Amino acid sequence: MKSIEQTNFLGGEGPVHFDHILEAEEMHGMNRVYAKITLPKGSSVGYHVHNGDGEDYYVLKGTATIDDNHERTVTLKEGEHLFTPSGRGHNLANLHDEELQIMALIIYDHEKSL
């Protein structure tokens, strides 16, 4: 498992820690990312649009606040998830005291060849 930490990821605030469960080559062109993401209080992943893939956020711990395509704000708690399909955007923020841990899975719209 590869672990990395990035600051101001995609224009967000503060540190974001990624534990990549599988690397791209292990997913055989079907998925782009499969990772546990940890955000301390006040950290966020900046707003971004998915094109050619979709992303699912599943909350393991804490509370996630998500701007869903500039149409609504969604609050997710442990055990809840939100899928963002291709052509739509989102961000991810931890606005609460407890650390936020999510699973992120980015799935290609169709199988990509390696």
Side-chain angles (χ1 to χ4, degrees):
M1 182 167 37
K2 180 179 175 183
S3 295
I4 60 171
E5 188 164 299
Q6 295 187 317
T7 302
N8 304 329
F9 184 67
L10 296 175
E13 299 291 326
V16 179
H17 184 86
F18 296 86
D19 289 313
H20 290 275
I21 308 302
L22 295 173
E23 295 296 319
E25 61 275 1
E26 295 173 301
M27 294 184 277
H28 305 287
M30 297 173 66
N31 304 311
R32 186 160 61 87
V33 172
Y34 177 41
K36 181 174 95 172
I37 301 175
T38 304
L39 290 88
K41 177 183 178 179
S43 287
S44 64
V45 171
Y47 187 85
H48 57 285
V49 176
H50 286 269
N51 290 303
D53 59 35
E55 182 170 24
D56 192 70
Y57 286 151
Y58 177 85
V59 179
L60 298 169
K61 177 182 172 187
T63 303
T65 303
I66 299 170
D67 172 348
D68 183 20
N69 205 51
H70 295 315
E71 296 174 356
R72 64 186 178 139
T73 300
V74 177
T75 301
L76 299 177
K77 297 185 185 252
E78 185 177 321
E80 297 179 324
H81 78 102
L82 179 70
F83 181 73
T84 301
S86 182
R88 296 181 57 94
H90 61 173
N91 76 345
L92 173 67
N94 181 5
L95 305 177
H96 302 275
D97 289 333
E98 183 181 15
E99 177 179 85
L100 172 62
Q101 293 181 354
I102 67 156
M103 291 302 298
L105 177 62
I106 299 179
I107 306 164
Y108 287 119
D109 284 348
H110 54 82
E111 188 174 328
K112 304 275 185 184
S113 60
L114 293 176

